[in-house]
Amino acid sequence: MEKLEKTRRIIDDALSVASRPVLTLSGGKDSLVLLDLCEGYRDRLHVVWARTSEAFPHMVEFVKKQLVGWDHAELVSDQARFFARKGLPSAIIPVRHRPHEKNPGILIQSNGYCCKDLQYRPLGRYLRDYGADLVLHGQTAEDLRKLKSSFPQMLRPLRNDCIIAPLDNWTEAE
């Protein structure tokens, strides 16, 4: 229970000084827990869900149900068009298949670029245009150990001190 109270305190402290706070929603379990913990701030917290056009329909329906009654925006990127232009994501890319080669055949790109271009960049632009002075996100330290880059790094040039991860010290099991 102590961890839950500490998390609530982090949220309360962050929101007490913010005038344009935003919660970024992935639709995953961590961001949905964060949304639930922020229920008391529903009247002043803006929620942004950045997704691709190829999200599973049942997931889209599920997240939209969670957002009923929240001030929110849904950012949708055209994944098929992006793949046609830049290639399919892969961890291994043969030299001749890179998008900038003259005759690559099947285009293949690094698997990190699609999320960056389809979700994080549009989200970063949206947050800047919205004038967000606080961004809450559900990434945990455990996520950071599994991933090569962190959510705050993806949202540059937003200041890192206005990007808060209240669930940072939670484990997957919690």
Side-chain angles (χ1 to χ4, degrees):
M1 194 62 148
E2 185 178 311
K3 191 175 274 192
L4 181 58
E5 289 309 314
K6 181 180 178 187
T7 302
R8 285 192 169 123
R9 215 175 9 244
I10 291 168
I11 293 167
D12 291 342
D13 291 348
L15 289 169
S16 71
V17 296
S19 59
R20 301 226 2 118
V22 174
L23 185 151
T24 58
L25 190 71
S26 69
K29 65 184 181 309
D30 299 329
S31 68
L32 289 169
V33 165
L34 183 57
L35 183 70
D36 187 60
L37 290 172
C38 290
E39 175 65 34
Y41 293 99
R42 185 185 285 253
D43 62 331
R44 61 181 294 262
L45 185 59
H46 183 63
V47 180
V48 181
W49 180 31
R51 67 173 182 86
T52 71
S53 57
E54 303 303 315
F56 289 112
H58 68 277
M59 188 64 191
V60 173
E61 182 182 330
F62 174 77
V63 172
K64 285 184 177 186
K65 283 182 183 177
Q66 306 311 306
L67 291 172
V68 170
W70 286 90
D71 172 40
H72 70 278
E74 181 180 355
L75 310 179
V76 183
S77 296
D78 188 339
Q79 182 176 335
R81 191 177 102 202
F82 179 78
F83 286 174
R85 199 174 78 246
K86 297 278 190 163
L88 297 172
S90 176
I92 301 172
I93 305 172
V95 172
R96 68 183 176 280
H97 292 280
R98 294 177 300 176
H100 63 277
E101 296 297 327
K102 292 187 190 268
N103 188 12
I106 296 171
L107 295 176
I108 301 174
Q109 64 172 308
S110 171
N111 59 359
Y113 290 132
C114 60
C115 290
K116 189 175 190 177
D117 287 346
L118 292 172
Q119 292 175 292
Y120 297 125
R121 281 192 177 138
L123 182 58
R125 282 191 300 273
Y126 180 89
L127 294 170
R128 283 188 299 278
D129 293 347
Y130 180 79
D133 61 352
L134 172 69
V135 177
L136 297 173
H137 68 91
Q139 192 172 41
T140 65
E142 194 168 0
D143 292 333
L144 290 174
R145 284 191 296 277
K146 294 177 189 173
L147 303 171
K148 291 183 180 173
S149 60
S150 73
F151 188 81
Q153 289 172 334
M154 295 291 202
L155 293 180
R156 286 188 182 143
L158 291 177
R159 293 185 351 255
N160 278 357
D161 64 336
C162 74
I163 303 172
I164 309 292
L167 305 178
D168 181 64
N169 64 344
W170 287 41
T171 65
E172 188 172 343
E174 292 168 323

